Amino acid sequence: MACLVLFPLSLSLRSAVQARSICVCGIKGAKKPSFDRPLPPKKPQNAFLFFVKDKTPQLPSDLPQKEKLKALGAMWRGLDEKAKEEYVEKSNAAIVDYEMQLEEFMQSVDEDYVEAYTKYKNKRRHYLDAWRSKRKGGYVKRKLTAYSVFTSENFKEIYAKQDSDSKQKLANTSKELGARWKAIVQADKEAFQEKAEKINKERNKAKVDTELNEVLKSAEGRKKSEEVVS
């Protein structure tokens, strides 16, 4: 099974496929990442989502989305196990179909696809991070952990030593990284944690400086506008 390494973290292709996020609206000034190759099959819906799809049309159309979800959740919790069987069977059938599609898809995966898909997932992850943080105000990078710093420093060395085929090379690299991390002493782990905290602190300072510059630019722009008007 192929394995993707989403720097600085490692995920299997199957895990990355199953973790696909839903599409989101665009970000002004940012181009949404695209992938010109066939995408893996989407993860199947669970029993509750089949229930939601079935019962949503019965709710008032003018009911706010948040209230709809609350009502659907209450309706689902009120069902007995026998009533839920219909939706569980639909979900199980969808899982079987998904596994068959995924198995067929995995047969066509090669190292070139893995590399291209990794780049796409990284770009899409950063795009989604920017979109989510824009709703909260300002871009927020994910905080690094001690293990992610350890991975970034050791990945190339371990990957270069692997002599397995293309589909197992990344998987074995990921396993070796995990084994090495478990084997190092606590003092070394604390050293990596200090590095991670230092990087996170620098990133946070850069974010604050960027926000401050934007505020200053905005204030300067208002001042110039006021001078022109006066």
PDB file of all heavy atoms in Angstrom, residues 189-218:
ATOM      1  N   LYS A 189      13.880  14.175  23.250  1.00  0.00           N
ATOM      2  CA  LYS A 189      12.522  14.586  22.888  1.00  0.00           C
ATOM      3  C   LYS A 189      12.240  16.007  23.378  1.00  0.00           C
ATOM      4  O   LYS A 189      11.598  16.799  22.683  1.00  0.00           O
ATOM      5  CB  LYS A 189      11.502  13.608  23.485  1.00  0.00           C
ATOM      6  CG  LYS A 189      11.515  12.234  22.836  1.00  0.00           C
ATOM      7  CD  LYS A 189      10.411  11.343  23.398  1.00  0.00           C
ATOM      8  CE  LYS A 189      10.407   9.983  22.720  1.00  0.00           C
ATOM      9  NZ  LYS A 189       9.333   9.105  23.223  1.00  0.00           N
ATOM     10  N   GLU A 190      12.733  16.321  24.566  1.00  0.00           N
ATOM     11  CA  GLU A 190      12.545  17.665  25.104  1.00  0.00           C
ATOM     12  C   GLU A 190      13.293  18.696  24.274  1.00  0.00           C
ATOM     13  O   GLU A 190      12.833  19.833  24.124  1.00  0.00           O
ATOM     14  CB  GLU A 190      13.008  17.707  26.557  1.00  0.00           C
ATOM     15  CG  GLU A 190      12.118  16.917  27.506  1.00  0.00           C
ATOM     16  CD  GLU A 190      12.656  16.880  28.922  1.00  0.00           C
ATOM     17  OE1 GLU A 190      13.769  17.408  29.147  1.00  0.00           O
ATOM     18  OE2 GLU A 190      11.970  16.326  29.811  1.00  0.00           O
ATOM     19  N   ALA A 191      14.446  18.302  23.724  1.00  0.00           N
ATOM     20  CA  ALA A 191      15.203  19.206  22.859  1.00  0.00           C
ATOM     21  C   ALA A 191      14.419  19.522  21.591  1.00  0.00           C
ATOM     22  O   ALA A 191      14.379  20.680  21.140  1.00  0.00           O
ATOM     23  CB  ALA A 191      16.554  18.590  22.503  1.00  0.00           C
ATOM     24  N   PHE A 192      13.774  18.507  21.016  1.00  0.00           N
ATOM     25  CA  PHE A 192      12.941  18.731  19.835  1.00  0.00           C
ATOM     26  C   PHE A 192      11.727  19.587  20.191  1.00  0.00           C
ATOM     27  O   PHE A 192      11.267  20.408  19.379  1.00  0.00           O
ATOM     28  CB  PHE A 192      12.498  17.393  19.237  1.00  0.00           C
ATOM     29  CG  PHE A 192      13.561  16.701  18.432  1.00  0.00           C
ATOM     30  CD1 PHE A 192      14.139  15.530  18.885  1.00  0.00           C
ATOM     31  CD2 PHE A 192      13.990  17.236  17.226  1.00  0.00           C
ATOM     32  CE1 PHE A 192      15.123  14.892  18.157  1.00  0.00           C
ATOM     33  CE2 PHE A 192      14.974  16.600  16.482  1.00  0.00           C
ATOM     34  CZ  PHE A 192      15.550  15.426  16.946  1.00  0.00           C
ATOM     35  N   GLN A 193      11.195  19.397  21.397  1.00  0.00           N
ATOM     36  CA  GLN A 193      10.060  20.201  21.834  1.00  0.00           C
ATOM     37  C   GLN A 193      10.455  21.669  21.944  1.00  0.00           C
ATOM     38  O   GLN A 193       9.682  22.564  21.561  1.00  0.00           O
ATOM     39  CB  GLN A 193       9.546  19.691  23.180  1.00  0.00           C
ATOM     40  CG  GLN A 193       8.331  20.434  23.716  1.00  0.00           C
ATOM     41  CD  GLN A 193       7.134  20.355  22.789  1.00  0.00           C
ATOM     42  OE1 GLN A 193       6.899  19.320  22.165  1.00  0.00           O
ATOM     43  NE2 GLN A 193       6.384  21.431  22.686  1.00  0.00           N
ATOM     44  N   GLU A 194      11.669  21.931  22.444  1.00  0.00           N
ATOM     45  CA  GLU A 194      12.162  23.307  22.537  1.00  0.00           C
ATOM     46  C   GLU A 194      12.298  23.935  21.153  1.00  0.00           C
ATOM     47  O   GLU A 194      11.984  25.111  20.957  1.00  0.00           O
ATOM     48  CB  GLU A 194      13.505  23.325  23.263  1.00  0.00           C
ATOM     49  CG  GLU A 194      13.399  23.005  24.757  1.00  0.00           C
ATOM     50  CD  GLU A 194      14.755  22.964  25.432  1.00  0.00           C
ATOM     51  OE1 GLU A 194      15.775  23.195  24.740  1.00  0.00           O
ATOM     52  OE2 GLU A 194      14.806  22.709  26.653  1.00  0.00           O
ATOM     53  N   LYS A 195      12.784  23.139  20.192  1.00  0.00           N
ATOM     54  CA  LYS A 195      12.897  23.636  18.818  1.00  0.00           C
ATOM     55  C   LYS A 195      11.520  23.988  18.257  1.00  0.00           C
ATOM     56  O   LYS A 195      11.342  25.024  17.610  1.00  0.00           O
ATOM     57  CB  LYS A 195      13.559  22.587  17.927  1.00  0.00           C
ATOM     58  CG  LYS A 195      15.038  22.386  18.167  1.00  0.00           C
ATOM     59  CD  LYS A 195      15.603  21.371  17.178  1.00  0.00           C
ATOM     60  CE  LYS A 195      17.094  21.157  17.399  1.00  0.00           C
ATOM     61  NZ  LYS A 195      17.656  20.171  16.430  1.00  0.00           N
ATOM     62  N   ALA A 196      10.553  23.102  18.513  1.00  0.00           N
ATOM     63  CA  ALA A 196       9.198  23.335  18.013  1.00  0.00           C
ATOM     64  C   ALA A 196       8.604  24.603  18.622  1.00  0.00           C
ATOM     65  O   ALA A 196       7.993  25.422  17.917  1.00  0.00           O
ATOM     66  CB  ALA A 196       8.308  22.132  18.331  1.00  0.00           C
ATOM     67  N   GLU A 197       8.795  24.785  19.928  1.00  0.00           N
ATOM     68  CA  GLU A 197       8.269  25.977  20.599  1.00  0.00           C
ATOM     69  C   GLU A 197       8.931  27.247  20.075  1.00  0.00           C
ATOM     70  O   GLU A 197       8.283  28.292  19.941  1.00  0.00           O
ATOM     71  CB  GLU A 197       8.473  25.844  22.107  1.00  0.00           C
ATOM     72  CG  GLU A 197       7.593  24.777  22.752  1.00  0.00           C
ATOM     73  CD  GLU A 197       7.893  24.582  24.218  1.00  0.00           C
ATOM     74  OE1 GLU A 197       8.844  25.230  24.712  1.00  0.00           O
ATOM     75  OE2 GLU A 197       7.187  23.791  24.880  1.00  0.00           O
ATOM     76  N   LYS A 198      10.226  27.156  19.779  1.00  0.00           N
ATOM     77  CA  LYS A 198      10.946  28.316  19.251  1.00  0.00           C
ATOM     78  C   LYS A 198      10.404  28.711  17.882  1.00  0.00           C
ATOM     79  O   LYS A 198      10.164  29.884  17.611  1.00  0.00           O
ATOM     80  CB  LYS A 198      12.439  28.000  19.146  1.00  0.00           C
ATOM     81  CG  LYS A 198      13.271  29.169  18.632  1.00  0.00           C
ATOM     82  CD  LYS A 198      14.756  28.798  18.563  1.00  0.00           C
ATOM     83  CE  LYS A 198      15.572  29.980  18.022  1.00  0.00           C
ATOM     84  NZ  LYS A 198      17.008  29.637  17.918  1.00  0.00           N
ATOM     85  N   ILE A 199      10.189  27.694  17.027  1.00  0.00           N
ATOM     86  CA  ILE A 199       9.646  27.961  15.687  1.00  0.00           C
ATOM     87  C   ILE A 199       8.232  28.531  15.788  1.00  0.00           C
ATOM     88  O   ILE A 199       7.874  29.482  15.091  1.00  0.00           O
ATOM     89  CB  ILE A 199       9.647  26.681  14.840  1.00  0.00           C
ATOM     90  CG1 ILE A 199      11.080  26.230  14.586  1.00  0.00           C
ATOM     91  CG2 ILE A 199       8.922  26.907  13.511  1.00  0.00           C
ATOM     92  CD1 ILE A 199      11.186  24.880  13.905  1.00  0.00           C
ATOM     93  N   ASN A 200       7.412  27.948  16.659  1.00  0.00           N
ATOM     94  CA  ASN A 200       6.039  28.436  16.837  1.00  0.00           C
ATOM     95  C   ASN A 200       6.029  29.876  17.340  1.00  0.00           C
ATOM     96  O   ASN A 200       5.191  30.686  16.923  1.00  0.00           O
ATOM     97  CB  ASN A 200       5.288  27.532  17.818  1.00  0.00           C
ATOM     98  CG  ASN A 200       4.994  26.160  17.240  1.00  0.00           C
ATOM     99  OD1 ASN A 200       4.839  26.003  16.033  1.00  0.00           O
ATOM    100  ND2 ASN A 200       4.932  25.155  18.095  1.00  0.00           N
ATOM    101  N   LYS A 201       6.967  30.189  18.230  1.00  0.00           N
ATOM    102  CA  LYS A 201       7.062  31.550  18.763  1.00  0.00           C
ATOM    103  C   LYS A 201       7.434  32.535  17.664  1.00  0.00           C
ATOM    104  O   LYS A 201       6.876  33.643  17.578  1.00  0.00           O
ATOM    105  CB  LYS A 201       8.097  31.593  19.889  1.00  0.00           C
ATOM    106  CG  LYS A 201       8.163  32.923  20.608  1.00  0.00           C
ATOM    107  CD  LYS A 201       9.143  32.846  21.785  1.00  0.00           C
ATOM    108  CE  LYS A 201       9.201  34.189  22.513  1.00  0.00           C
ATOM    109  NZ  LYS A 201      10.145  34.138  23.664  1.00  0.00           N
ATOM    110  N   GLU A 202       8.385  32.123  16.800  1.00  0.00           N
ATOM    111  CA  GLU A 202       8.802  32.986  15.692  1.00  0.00           C
ATOM    112  C   GLU A 202       7.652  33.187  14.708  1.00  0.00           C
ATOM    113  O   GLU A 202       7.452  34.287  14.190  1.00  0.00           O
ATOM    114  CB  GLU A 202      10.009  32.370  14.989  1.00  0.00           C
ATOM    115  CG  GLU A 202      11.280  32.391  15.828  1.00  0.00           C
ATOM    116  CD  GLU A 202      12.416  31.631  15.168  1.00  0.00           C
ATOM    117  OE1 GLU A 202      12.156  30.944  14.152  1.00  0.00           O
ATOM    118  OE2 GLU A 202      13.553  31.720  15.666  1.00  0.00           O
ATOM    119  N   ARG A 203       6.906  32.113  14.454  1.00  0.00           N
ATOM    120  CA  ARG A 203       5.754  32.228  13.550  1.00  0.00           C
ATOM    121  C   ARG A 203       4.703  33.169  14.127  1.00  0.00           C
ATOM    122  O   ARG A 203       4.115  33.990  13.411  1.00  0.00           O
ATOM    123  CB  ARG A 203       5.135  30.843  13.325  1.00  0.00           C
ATOM    124  CG  ARG A 203       5.925  29.947  12.397  1.00  0.00           C
ATOM    125  CD  ARG A 203       5.189  28.631  12.221  1.00  0.00           C
ATOM    126  NE  ARG A 203       5.827  27.789  11.239  1.00  0.00           N
ATOM    127  CZ  ARG A 203       5.373  26.586  10.885  1.00  0.00           C
ATOM    128  NH1 ARG A 203       4.273  26.109  11.466  1.00  0.00           N
ATOM    129  NH2 ARG A 203       5.993  25.873   9.972  1.00  0.00           N
ATOM    130  N   ASN A 204       4.460  33.041  15.422  1.00  0.00           N
ATOM    131  CA  ASN A 204       3.463  33.886  16.065  1.00  0.00           C
ATOM    132  C   ASN A 204       3.878  35.351  16.024  1.00  0.00           C
ATOM    133  O   ASN A 204       3.055  36.240  15.784  1.00  0.00           O
ATOM    134  CB  ASN A 204       3.261  33.441  17.512  1.00  0.00           C
ATOM    135  CG  ASN A 204       2.136  34.185  18.192  1.00  0.00           C
ATOM    136  OD1 ASN A 204       1.002  34.150  17.726  1.00  0.00           O
ATOM    137  ND2 ASN A 204       2.444  34.862  19.279  1.00  0.00           N
ATOM    138  N   LYS A 205       5.184  35.599  16.240  1.00  0.00           N
ATOM    139  CA  LYS A 205       5.701  36.971  16.184  1.00  0.00           C
ATOM    140  C   LYS A 205       5.549  37.540  14.781  1.00  0.00           C
ATOM    141  O   LYS A 205       5.154  38.692  14.599  1.00  0.00           O
ATOM    142  CB  LYS A 205       7.171  37.004  16.592  1.00  0.00           C
ATOM    143  CG  LYS A 205       7.780  38.412  16.616  1.00  0.00           C
ATOM    144  CD  LYS A 205       9.221  38.370  17.066  1.00  0.00           C
ATOM    145  CE  LYS A 205       9.814  39.780  17.122  1.00  0.00           C
ATOM    146  NZ  LYS A 205       9.733  40.488  15.836  1.00  0.00           N
ATOM    147  N   ALA A 206       5.841  36.695  13.771  1.00  0.00           N
ATOM    148  CA  ALA A 206       5.696  37.139  12.385  1.00  0.00           C
ATOM    149  C   ALA A 206       4.245  37.488  12.072  1.00  0.00           C
ATOM    150  O   ALA A 206       3.955  38.468  11.376  1.00  0.00           O
ATOM    151  CB  ALA A 206       6.197  36.051  11.440  1.00  0.00           C
ATOM    152  N   LYS A 207       3.320  36.676  12.618  1.00  0.00           N
ATOM    153  CA  LYS A 207       1.888  36.945  12.407  1.00  0.00           C
ATOM    154  C   LYS A 207       1.488  38.272  13.048  1.00  0.00           C
ATOM    155  O   LYS A 207       0.780  39.081  12.449  1.00  0.00           O
ATOM    156  CB  LYS A 207       1.059  35.802  12.989  1.00  0.00           C
ATOM    157  CG  LYS A 207      -0.448  36.025  12.903  1.00  0.00           C
ATOM    158  CD  LYS A 207      -1.181  34.851  13.520  1.00  0.00           C
ATOM    159  CE  LYS A 207      -2.688  35.094  13.457  1.00  0.00           C
ATOM    160  NZ  LYS A 207      -3.106  36.228  14.285  1.00  0.00           N
ATOM    161  N   VAL A 208       1.972  38.497  14.290  1.00  0.00           N
ATOM    162  CA  VAL A 208       1.650  39.749  14.988  1.00  0.00           C
ATOM    163  C   VAL A 208       2.230  40.939  14.240  1.00  0.00           C
ATOM    164  O   VAL A 208       1.568  41.973  14.076  1.00  0.00           O
ATOM    165  CB  VAL A 208       2.192  39.704  16.433  1.00  0.00           C
ATOM    166  CG1 VAL A 208       2.034  41.068  17.099  1.00  0.00           C
ATOM    167  CG2 VAL A 208       1.462  38.641  17.234  1.00  0.00           C
ATOM    168  N   ASP A 209       3.473  40.795  13.753  1.00  0.00           N
ATOM    169  CA  ASP A 209       4.102  41.887  13.002  1.00  0.00           C
ATOM    170  C   ASP A 209       3.325  42.188  11.730  1.00  0.00           C
ATOM    171  O   ASP A 209       3.145  43.349  11.357  1.00  0.00           O
ATOM    172  CB  ASP A 209       5.547  41.507  12.644  1.00  0.00           C
ATOM    173  CG  ASP A 209       6.456  41.496  13.866  1.00  0.00           C
ATOM    174  OD1 ASP A 209       6.053  42.070  14.899  1.00  0.00           O
ATOM    175  OD2 ASP A 209       7.551  40.915  13.785  1.00  0.00           O
ATOM    176  N   THR A 210       2.848  41.122  11.065  1.00  0.00           N
ATOM    177  CA  THR A 210       2.067  41.316   9.839  1.00  0.00           C
ATOM    178  C   THR A 210       0.776  42.058  10.133  1.00  0.00           C
ATOM    179  O   THR A 210       0.390  42.994   9.411  1.00  0.00           O
ATOM    180  CB  THR A 210       1.747  39.957   9.191  1.00  0.00           C
ATOM    181  OG1 THR A 210       2.971  39.287   8.877  1.00  0.00           O
ATOM    182  CG2 THR A 210       0.931  40.144   7.917  1.00  0.00           C
ATOM    183  N   GLU A 211       0.089  41.657  11.189  1.00  0.00           N
ATOM    184  CA  GLU A 211      -1.160  42.321  11.564  1.00  0.00           C
ATOM    185  C   GLU A 211      -0.909  43.780  11.939  1.00  0.00           C
ATOM    186  O   GLU A 211      -1.697  44.666  11.590  1.00  0.00           O
ATOM    187  CB  GLU A 211      -1.810  41.580  12.736  1.00  0.00           C
ATOM    188  CG  GLU A 211      -2.310  40.198  12.369  1.00  0.00           C
ATOM    189  CD  GLU A 211      -2.841  39.448  13.572  1.00  0.00           C
ATOM    190  OE1 GLU A 211      -2.577  39.899  14.712  1.00  0.00           O
ATOM    191  OE2 GLU A 211      -3.521  38.420  13.381  1.00  0.00           O
ATOM    192  N   LEU A 212       0.215  44.040  12.654  1.00  0.00           N
ATOM    193  CA  LEU A 212       0.548  45.402  13.050  1.00  0.00           C
ATOM    194  C   LEU A 212       0.826  46.263  11.824  1.00  0.00           C
ATOM    195  O   LEU A 212       0.378  47.414  11.740  1.00  0.00           O
ATOM    196  CB  LEU A 212       1.775  45.393  13.972  1.00  0.00           C
ATOM    197  CG  LEU A 212       2.266  46.759  14.464  1.00  0.00           C
ATOM    198  CD1 LEU A 212       1.164  47.471  15.243  1.00  0.00           C
ATOM    199  CD2 LEU A 212       3.505  46.602  15.329  1.00  0.00           C
ATOM    200  N   ASN A 213       1.554  45.696  10.854  1.00  0.00           N
ATOM    201  CA  ASN A 213       1.849  46.435   9.627  1.00  0.00           C
ATOM    202  C   ASN A 213       0.571  46.779   8.868  1.00  0.00           C
ATOM    203  O   ASN A 213       0.439  47.874   8.306  1.00  0.00           O
ATOM    204  CB  ASN A 213       2.782  45.625   8.727  1.00  0.00           C
ATOM    205  CG  ASN A 213       4.194  45.558   9.274  1.00  0.00           C
ATOM    206  OD1 ASN A 213       4.615  46.441  10.017  1.00  0.00           O
ATOM    207  ND2 ASN A 213       4.926  44.517   8.913  1.00  0.00           N
ATOM    208  N   GLU A 214      -0.373  45.837   8.857  1.00  0.00           N
ATOM    209  CA  GLU A 214      -1.640  46.093   8.170  1.00  0.00           C
ATOM    210  C   GLU A 214      -2.417  47.206   8.859  1.00  0.00           C
ATOM    211  O   GLU A 214      -3.027  48.053   8.210  1.00  0.00           O
ATOM    212  CB  GLU A 214      -2.473  44.812   8.133  1.00  0.00           C
ATOM    213  CG  GLU A 214      -1.903  43.745   7.214  1.00  0.00           C
ATOM    214  CD  GLU A 214      -2.734  42.478   7.220  1.00  0.00           C
ATOM    215  OE1 GLU A 214      -3.694  42.425   8.016  1.00  0.00           O
ATOM    216  OE2 GLU A 214      -2.427  41.558   6.439  1.00  0.00           O
ATOM    217  N   VAL A 215      -2.378  47.196  10.201  1.00  0.00           N
ATOM    218  CA  VAL A 215      -3.054  48.263  10.959  1.00  0.00           C
ATOM    219  C   VAL A 215      -2.411  49.608  10.672  1.00  0.00           C
ATOM    220  O   VAL A 215      -3.089  50.612  10.456  1.00  0.00           O
ATOM    221  CB  VAL A 215      -3.000  47.959  12.474  1.00  0.00           C
ATOM    222  CG1 VAL A 215      -3.503  49.158  13.267  1.00  0.00           C
ATOM    223  CG2 VAL A 215      -3.843  46.732  12.794  1.00  0.00           C
ATOM    224  N   LEU A 216      -1.068  49.636  10.668  1.00  0.00           N
ATOM    225  CA  LEU A 216      -0.350  50.887  10.413  1.00  0.00           C
ATOM    226  C   LEU A 216      -0.612  51.397   9.000  1.00  0.00           C
ATOM    227  O   LEU A 216      -0.792  52.596   8.789  1.00  0.00           O
ATOM    228  CB  LEU A 216       1.158  50.674  10.624  1.00  0.00           C
ATOM    229  CG  LEU A 216       1.596  50.412  12.076  1.00  0.00           C
ATOM    230  CD1 LEU A 216       3.079  50.098  12.133  1.00  0.00           C
ATOM    231  CD2 LEU A 216       1.276  51.619  12.953  1.00  0.00           C
ATOM    232  N   LYS A 217      -0.629  50.463   8.035  1.00  0.00           N
ATOM    233  CA  LYS A 217      -0.907  50.858   6.655  1.00  0.00           C
ATOM    234  C   LYS A 217      -2.313  51.425   6.542  1.00  0.00           C
ATOM    235  O   LYS A 217      -2.551  52.420   5.846  1.00  0.00           O
ATOM    236  CB  LYS A 217      -0.753  49.661   5.725  1.00  0.00           C
ATOM    237  CG  LYS A 217       0.690  49.261   5.469  1.00  0.00           C
ATOM    238  CD  LYS A 217       0.746  48.069   4.518  1.00  0.00           C
ATOM    239  CE  LYS A 217       2.183  47.651   4.268  1.00  0.00           C
ATOM    240  NZ  LYS A 217       2.273  46.475   3.358  1.00  0.00           N
ATOM    241  N   SER A 218      -3.251  50.764   7.227  1.00  0.00           N
ATOM    242  CA  SER A 218      -4.629  51.227   7.187  1.00  0.00           C
ATOM    243  C   SER A 218      -4.751  52.615   7.809  1.00  0.00           C
ATOM    244  O   SER A 218      -5.430  53.499   7.280  1.00  0.00           O
ATOM    245  CB  SER A 218      -5.525  50.234   7.939  1.00  0.00           C
ATOM    246  OG  SER A 218      -6.857  50.675   7.961  1.00  0.00           O
TER     247      SER A 218
END
